[in-house]
């Protein structure tokens, strides 16, 4: 209880149960949930709390990594617009930016690339256990298990209070994710694992580990390398999304970062997070030709189905990543030959963007509208789409983990619950209950 209206950056709350008024400070557009705890009917009842399943209106941290303005369609990593990073940077430089908070000097960049390049190999035992998965194991399940297993290879990673040690694990994880991702893919195909080729850049090496067969060196078309690199950049971070929240929540126990990132991979595996691009492909195939689009749109407007790849919880404007991906799709198809589904997608987008139904509801293409088409052009099976997402998101997860472990405000994640079950029952042993 404080002086009402003593501070203009505050919220005055009147508890009608007691008639008491409280003045709660507002900082950065939020109130501290702990301040609500003082609002209680008497000393013996718990203080007031908030109920917010899915954290739709609750900030869980302060973060300086990624800025998103969904109404204006803005996405920035460490203050740099995603459009500029996608066009002028590369994935490893963006990873450096996310992790360190600033762009590298030439010497810093060279050393970062060198470190990552020379940590792409994994212990031979990792190879043996990955070979032990069932022949049809989902690559995402393999990736999740393998990242988690790295914690057993680097037990020193538990020393999260040491900055040099944290740096070492971050380098290892960014370096090894493509190796684990590519091997998960090769396993499902029954093909031998390909070792990293340290002469190649990050993304070119990943493509080599995915697709190399008997040739001495696998050198992918530069345009394909660039397109995949851009996709990694676009997926590198996105604020407090479900998988990042999982990484932070598990990381808040002070576990090693491999275990925390394995939790992020698990969250990303879920269809509500990483799976919509596959649904877009299914939809485009079902539409089949541009002449069928008007009938399809009518069906969407009648509420019979959704236009997959449109709409976003945060973006109520064109998802800035979708614009960049559309351009990448065109570049990729120049190399791989056109896919008639791209024409359907572009026409669908054009019609939808002019249609009152979509305009009124602020429904624009999201990141998944074109990404599945690109992945398909690379001949990735749909199960691999989320693995690609996970490789791209790894620097973001780690930047957020780093922020978490250095943030004095953070505590072990332990949400409140509203208990709805029975109380104070009397237990009867089974010998009496069942007789
Ligand atoms: C992403 C998504 C779940 C966001 O949902 P949301 O923020 O909860 O938005 P709502 O479900 O409240 O939608 C608001 C309105 O737009 C409509 N709408 C939203 N997305 C739509 C879509 N893709 N196609 C047709 N109508 C859509 C809803 O039916 C609702 O209409 P109403 O007001 O007449 O009831 C939703 O847009 C969606 O399901 N999109 C398709 C799946 C997809 O592409 N997911 C990937 C996200 S990156």
């Amino acid at each position: 209880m404080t002086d009402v209206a003593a501070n203009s950056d505050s919220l005055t709350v009147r508890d009608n149960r007691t008639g008491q008024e409280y003045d709660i400070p507002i900082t950065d557009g939020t109130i501290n949930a702990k301040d609500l705890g003082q609002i209680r009917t008497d000393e013996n009842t718990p203080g007031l709390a908030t109920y917010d399943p899915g954290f739709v209106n609750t900030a869980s941290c302060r973060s300086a990594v990624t800025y998103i303005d969904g109404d204006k369609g803005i996405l920035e990593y460490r203050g740099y617009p995603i459009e500029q990073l996608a066009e002028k940077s590369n994935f490893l430089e963006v990873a450096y930016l996310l992790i360190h908070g600033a762009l590298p000097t030439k010497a810093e960049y060279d050393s970062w690339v060198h470190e990552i390049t020379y940590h792409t190999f994994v212990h031979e035992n990792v190879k043996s256990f990955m070979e032990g998965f069932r022949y049809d194991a989902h690559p995402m399940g393999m990736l999740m298990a393998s990242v988690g297993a790295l914690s057993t290879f680097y037990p020193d990673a538990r020393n999260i209070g040491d900055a040099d040690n944290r740096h070492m694990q971050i380098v290892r994880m960014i370096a090894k994710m493509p190796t684990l991702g590519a091997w998960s893919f090769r396993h499902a195909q029954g093909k031998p694992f390909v070792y990293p080729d340290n002469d190649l850049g990050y993304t070119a090496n990943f493509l080599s580990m995915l697709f190399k067969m008997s040739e001495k060196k696998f050198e992918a078309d530069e345009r394909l390398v660039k397109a995949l690199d851009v996709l990694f950049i676009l997926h590198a971070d996105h604020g407090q999304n479900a998988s990042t929240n999982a990484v932070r929540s598990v990381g808040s126990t002070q576990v090693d970062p491999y275990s925390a990132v394995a939790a992020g991979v698990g969250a990303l595996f879920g269809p509500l997070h990483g799976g919509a691009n596959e649904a877009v492909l299914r939809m485009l195939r079902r539409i089949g030709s541009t002449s069928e689009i008007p009938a399809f749109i009518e069906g969407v407007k009648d509420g019979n189905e959704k236009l997959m790849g449109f709409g976003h919880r945060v973006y109520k404007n064109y998802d800035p990543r979708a614009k960049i991906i559309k351009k990448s799709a065109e570049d990729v198809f120049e190399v791989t030959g056109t896919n008639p589904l791209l024409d359907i997608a572009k026409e669908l987008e054009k019609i939808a963007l002019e249609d009152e139904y979509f305009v009124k509801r602020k429904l624009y293409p999201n990141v998944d509208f074109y990404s599945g088409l690109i992945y398909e052009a690379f001949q990735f099976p749909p199960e691999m789409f989320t693995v690609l997402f996970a490789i791209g998101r790894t620097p973001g997860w780690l930047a957020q983990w780093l922020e978490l472990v250095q943030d004095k405000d953070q505590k072990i994640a332990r949400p409140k619950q509203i208990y709805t079950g029975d109380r104070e029952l009397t237990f009867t042993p089974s010998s009496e209950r069942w007789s």
Side-chain angles (χ1 to χ4, degrees), residues 276 300 306-311 313 316 357 361 363 366 368:
V300 172
K306 275 192 170 169
L307 172 50
M308 297 312 288
F310 261 63
R313 174 57 63 81
K316 300 302 171 194
Y357 175 94
R361 290 171 176 76
L363 299 172
N366 60 46
D368 291 317

Side-chain angles (χ1 to χ4, degrees), residues 16-235:
N16 292 324
R17 297 170 303 179
T18 59
Q20 296 279 14
E21 287 196 354
Y22 302 83
D23 191 24
I24 296 175
I26 298 178
T27 310
D28 295 330
T30 61
I31 57 165
N32 192 322
K34 260 202 312 206
D35 289 341
L36 294 177
Q38 63 182 307
I39 305 178
R40 54 179 77 218
T41 47
D42 61 66
E43 282 305 302
N44 301 320
T45 53
L48 195 66
T50 57
Y51 176 59
D52 189 3
F55 296 118
V56 294
N57 196 27
T58 298
S60 63
C61 60
R62 294 172 169 274
S63 180
V65 182
T66 291
Y67 176 79
I68 306 171
D69 182 332
D71 291 329
K72 298 200 181 105
I74 295 173
L75 171 61
E76 293 169 358
Y77 295 160
R78 301 284 189 185
Y80 293 97
I82 190 71
E83 293 83 354
Q84 293 178 23
L85 295 173
E87 193 191 332
K88 298 178 188 155
S89 186
N90 64 59
F91 180 61
L92 282 192
E93 189 181 35
V94 168
Y96 184 99
L97 172 69
L98 287 167
I99 299 289
H100 295 88
L103 289 170
T105 62
K106 166 99 173 81
E108 286 165 343
Y109 176 75
D110 289 346
S111 144
W112 173 247
V113 171
H114 179 85
E115 278 189 292
I116 303 244
T117 307
Y118 285 87
H119 283 91
T120 48
F121 276 72
V122 292
H123 193 290
E124 279 294 289
N125 287 3
V126 172
K127 189 173 160 220
S128 327
F129 85 70
M130 288 187 80
E131 282 166 347
F133 279 97
R134 237 179 81 144
Y135 69 96
D136 58 352
H138 194 293
M140 234 358 218
M142 287 182 69
L143 182 68
M144 177 169 49
S146 319
V147 178
L150 288 184
S151 74
T152 67
F153 290 86
Y154 306 111
D156 58 318
R158 268 177 251 154
N159 186 8
I160 63 164
D162 181 81
D164 291 341
N165 191 297
R166 290 195 298 257
H167 175 78
M168 190 68 251
Q169 314 315 328
I170 286 171
V171 165
R172 282 182 176 143
M173 222 171 322
I174 295 175
K176 293 179 201 310
M177 281 298 266
T179 312
L180 301 177
W183 288 5
S184 308
F185 171 74
R186 300 282 290 203
H187 181 75
Q189 305 225 322
K191 291 179 181 157
F193 295 166
V194 177
Y195 286 102
D197 179 344
N198 290 351
D199 292 342
L200 299 174
Y202 187 85
T203 304
N205 172 48
F206 177 52
L207 286 169
S208 164
M209 290 189 289
L210 286 163
F211 298 119
K212 185 169 180 292
M213 291 306 291
S214 63
E215 62 271 50
K216 278 220 168 61
K217 201 163 188 75
F218 182 90
E219 282 177 279
D221 188 295
E222 269 309 307
R223 289 167 292 179
L224 295 183
V225 175
K226 173 70 187 160
L228 192 54
D229 203 72
V230 166
L231 280 163
F232 285 157
I233 294 174
L234 299 182
H235 286 93

Side-chain angles (χ1 to χ4, degrees), residues 343-358:
D343 297 332
I344 299 177
K346 283 180 12 189
E347 184 63 16
L348 195 53
E349 177 193 333
K350 187 165 160 277
I351 294 177
L353 289 180
E354 286 163 2
D355 192 294
E356 163 76 10
Y357 175 94
F358 300 92

